[in-house]
Amino acid sequence: MSYVTRVWQDHKAAITPWLFLLPGILMFAIYIVIPIFQSIAISFYRWDGLGEKTFIGWENYRELMRDDIFFTALQNNVIWLVLYLLALPAGLLLALFLNQTTRGIRIYKSLFFFPFVISQVVVGLVFSWFYDPSFGLFNTALMKIGLSPIAVLADERYVTYGVIIAGLWPQIAYCMILYLTGLNAVDGEQIEAARLDNVRGWRMLWYVILPQLRPATFIALVVTVIGALRSFDLISIMTGGGPWGSSQVLAYYMYEQAFSEYGFRMGYGAAIAVVLFAIMLIYIGFFLAKMYRDEKGR
Amino acid sequence: MSIKSGIRKIRSSMVALTTSALIALPALAGTAMAGELVINTDSSFPAVKKAFQAAVTGFEQENPDIEVTWNVFDNEAYKSAIRNFLSAESPDLATWFAGNRMLPYVNAGLFAPIDDVWAENGLDKTLKAAESAVTFNGTKWAVPYTYYQWGVYYRKDLFAKFGIEVPTTWEEFKAAGAKLQENGITPVAIGTRFPWTAAGWFDYLNLRTNGYDFHMAVTRGEIPWTDDRIRKTMGHWAELLKAGFFLENHAAYSWQEALPALVNGDAGMYLMGNFIVAPLQEAGLTDDQLGFFQFPVIDPTIAMAEDAPANTLHLAAGARNVAEAKKFLAYIARADVQTMMNEIMGQLPVNAQSSVADDPYLQAGFKMLSNVDGGLAQFFDRDAPAEMAKAGMEGFQEFMVKPERLDKILARLEMVRKRQTQ
């Protein structure tokens, strides 16, 4: 028996899983892990993507610290994160409302889920028209009740909130569908038992239903936080980061600096990407720790 | 379609593919000897595409031994595609823009100099109008084949109705606006959601206040943004802002979305490039309603200068068919070819010996540009380096909404300028 076959025979059980993992590991390394390190490396250079790279050390990061728009973007990311979490209770509310057996309920469910199915680009366009100061529904309504119109997307005070509301529309639908599937798995016997003990209303929801929805809540939280941090499409469609950078978020600012018509500052874009990555890392760390604890607890 | 017939279809198309490859192989070898030419253009707009189609066809007729491969890119996608194809699989010729916009490619060695094409064909005489915009370090880097004027497009009928004369001076301009306002009309329509439109106003106010040389020095980054002369320009702008000259909520609209204001008669004027005419005519404005005038004089001691962006054709450094490419460059510089192309595009030929299409706006623009003593600028985002252009345009947009932040905006622009000139 040759050496190779002997090793194979002896360690078959140990080697096999790695063989199966290999394609995945390779892909993950090439498309995710290595680019992360490349981005970190590029963030120390000045580079227009065409000519020579110049090493400038921490200069890109020093510039970030002096960059007003960067801090606007950072602040907006926090606002996005906080307000996006509203999708959870709103989605739960809708799910509870739709979780009944009436004629045609499936149609209502699919209609409520619809905003998640259509492209974010379409959502952005629809809301751009909705906010349009001259013919948009929003301002027509404001004027009907005697208020003066507000150009939401052109006003630095409201623009971020305007875009977040557009983003919440599909996000709520997504959370709703997660909770609807969660509600399917709720144990009827426990509800019966609680009923016998005369539990109803809020107490039923809080002490009986919600604990059983924990897996759904967890997934909804994860997708919502990630959705908030990577918000990009809506900003690109509705405002382009404007007016004058007041609706920027990190993901879009990174794209703009690195790849847009007036950008091609690869180093600076990479530096923004690294900061965004660091923020996500905190969250991912928390997420992994929780997973680990849950697995261990079982 | 059943699965079986689907498979049969795929198989037959594969056969077709292999046979066509077999036929194509010797054909390719044949053309390689005769001469090839690969041109990449950003001409996805129908009129521009048609103009290029006509130019390529004409060239092939004159040079039957050269086979032209012409690739049309989407206008927006081209801006990032050009970076890839110039450094990876290079065409022989590529369209781009004059001014600072071409410098990254010149500096990276992706465009090749074409001084010989200019010298052999006497282009320094025929293409003089855009010569400075394609010259860098004393070397010519492109052949400009089209340009267009900027200026004020206005509602002739409304001006006539309220007895307003076409303004030629700053005072007259402000008076005309005031008269429009008295009659419930916003003087100027503009949409700054994509803020480059605001840069048109900066260009003109600065060209008229401080002149061509100073304006070009500003865009090259040689003048601090906090300079008093720039403050003077911004002061003129502030006069208009204070008087409420511009369309309300302009930051919410793109330039197209601001057009209805002019079409409906809610606004009287629009500072824009000549490409504004086509959509306005489509929206129903006739030549009796729409007029054009040169941006008024602010300081009579300063020579008139205009924005007139030129589009250009460049020789790629990685070109494989240099002789054929130079032949095409000489061809597209010719008076008759530029006449033909620009008639189709509805723009102005750069060649001085070309004739201009019979169109009131083009004729007016041609007359205006022929009498320019100050010089022709390329537009702010082509004259200034990319980063400065972006910061500038956003700053102008902010200034138009919040004029009281002038100091902060200029300080920010100055920071960008300093970093750029480091």
Side-chain angles (χ1 to χ4, degrees), chain B residues 7-275:
Chain B
I7 289 172
R8 202 177 305 136
K9 211 165 189 185
I10 291 168
R11 200 183 286 156
S12 68
S13 65
M14 273 166 69
V15 171
L17 265 179
T18 18
T19 37
S20 65
L22 282 174
I23 297 165
L25 223 58
L28 267 178
T31 52
M33 276 186 288
E36 283 179 84
L37 179 60
V38 183
I39 309 175
N40 287 4
T41 69
D42 62 345
S43 50
S44 65
F45 292 132
V48 187
K49 191 173 172 182
K50 227 170 112 193
F52 261 98
Q53 176 70 64
V56 168
T57 312
F59 181 75
E60 281 181 323
Q61 272 162 6
E62 285 177 30
N63 304 278
D65 54 327
I66 300 176
E67 186 159 332
V68 181
T69 310
W70 170 45
N71 306 311
V72 183
F73 287 69
D74 171 74
N75 262 66
E76 284 306 312
Y78 190 83
K79 286 168 186 164
S80 51
I82 187 173
R83 305 172 70 88
N84 297 331
F85 67 62
L86 280 183
S87 41
E89 198 174 338
S90 182
D92 301 312
L93 295 170
T95 55
W96 195 238
F97 310 104
N100 198 296
R101 266 294 182 90
M102 68 181 188
L103 290 196
Y105 304 93
V106 170
N107 290 332
L110 293 172
F111 285 156
I114 51 164
D115 291 304
D116 51 344
V117 178
W118 275 71
E120 282 161 27
N121 298 285
L123 301 187
D124 51 335
K125 290 200 184 63
T126 50
L127 302 184
K128 196 165 179 42
E131 184 182 355
S132 65
V134 296
T135 310
F136 178 64
N137 280 347
T139 300
K140 307 282 188 292
W141 296 94
V143 168
Y145 59 89
T146 184
Y147 70 152
Y148 55 87
Q149 83 269 19
W150 271 67
V152 183
Y153 294 81
Y154 74 108
R155 283 295 295 269
K156 224 193 265 178
D157 52 339
L158 294 180
F159 271 50
K161 191 172 153 196
F162 304 121
I164 306 169
E165 294 284 319
V166 167
T168 54
T169 66
W170 188 235
E171 293 310 319
E172 284 174 17
F173 182 73
K174 285 188 290 187
K179 196 80 179 268
L180 286 171
Q181 279 175 318
E182 277 168 31
N183 292 287
I185 295 171
T186 306
V188 176
I190 186 172
T192 60
R193 185 151 79 108
F194 303 101
W196 58 268
T197 49
W201 276 91
F202 175 78
D203 275 3
Y204 269 101
L205 290 167
N206 201 34
L207 284 169
R208 292 288 184 269
T209 310
N210 296 307
Y212 178 78
D213 293 330
F214 178 81
H215 181 68
M216 295 314 280
V218 170
T219 54
R220 278 195 303 267
E222 292 161 12
I223 311 279
W225 280 91
T226 44
D227 190 288
D228 276 345
R229 286 166 290 182
I230 291 183
R231 282 184 187 280
K232 205 171 152 196
T233 299
M234 301 310 266
H236 284 134
W237 204 344
E239 284 177 46
L240 302 186
L241 292 167
K242 214 173 182 182
F245 256 51
F246 297 96
L247 196 66
E248 216 184 333
N249 295 323
H250 56 77
Y253 305 118
S254 66
W255 73 266
Q256 294 98 328
E257 285 164 345
L259 290 176
L262 194 68
V263 175
N264 299 337
D266 297 331
M269 300 181 268
Y270 205 134
L271 175 68
M272 194 37 80
N274 194 55
F275 51 82

Side-chain angles (χ1 to χ4, degrees), chain A residues 46 48-51 63 66 69 132-134 151 154 156 237-239 243-245 256-257 261-262 264-265, chain B residues 79 83 101 104-105 108 110 193 249 251-253 381 386-387 390 393-394 397-398 401-402 405 415 419:
Chain A
R46 181 184 301 134
D48 67 356
L50 284 175
E63 195 190 321
R66 293 190 302 259
I69 296 185
D132 187 289
S134 50
E156 56 184 358
I237 294 295
M238 295 174 72
T239 69
W244 53 90
E256 204 180 67
Q257 290 296 319
E261 190 176 347
Y262 303 109
F264 297 114
R265 301 182 65 204
Chain B
K79 286 168 186 164
R83 305 172 70 88
R101 266 294 182 90
Y105 304 93
L110 293 172
R193 185 151 79 108
N249 295 323
Y253 305 118
D381 73 341
E387 195 191 344
K390 183 176 170 349
M393 295 186 305
E394 279 183 0
Q397 182 200 33
E398 183 169 1
V401 183
K402 307 271 179 190
R405 292 190 193 159
M415 203 177 98
R419 189 170 59 232

Side-chain angles (χ1 to χ4, degrees), chain B residues 225-359:
Chain B
W225 280 91
T226 44
D227 190 288
D228 276 345
R229 286 166 290 182
I230 291 183
R231 282 184 187 280
K232 205 171 152 196
T233 299
M234 301 310 266
H236 284 134
W237 204 344
E239 284 177 46
L240 302 186
L241 292 167
K242 214 173 182 182
F245 256 51
F246 297 96
L247 196 66
E248 216 184 333
N249 295 323
H250 56 77
Y253 305 118
S254 66
W255 73 266
Q256 294 98 328
E257 285 164 345
L259 290 176
L262 194 68
V263 175
N264 299 337
D266 297 331
M269 300 181 268
Y270 205 134
L271 175 68
M272 194 37 80
N274 194 55
F275 51 82
I276 196 180
V277 172
L280 286 178
Q281 283 174 338
E282 270 164 42
L285 286 189
T286 62
D287 291 348
D288 294 330
Q289 293 172 301
L290 184 64
F292 170 81
F293 66 82
Q294 187 173 21
F295 197 91
V297 176
I298 293 180
D299 180 346
T301 61
I302 280 165
M304 297 291 258
E306 305 293 328
D307 265 341
N311 286 11
T312 49
L313 194 61
H314 299 256
L315 177 64
R320 266 164 296 193
N321 311 297
V322 177
E324 289 84 356
K326 286 186 172 171
K327 219 174 201 174
F328 192 88
L329 285 171
Y331 166 81
I332 207 168
R334 247 163 49 190
D336 58 322
V337 178
Q338 294 212 349
T339 300
M340 182 267 297
M341 283 183 77
N342 284 288
E343 228 163 73
I344 301 175
M345 284 189 278
Q347 301 204 124
L348 294 171
V350 182
N351 193 313
Q353 289 153 8
S354 295
S355 54
V356 179
D358 186 23
D359 169 280

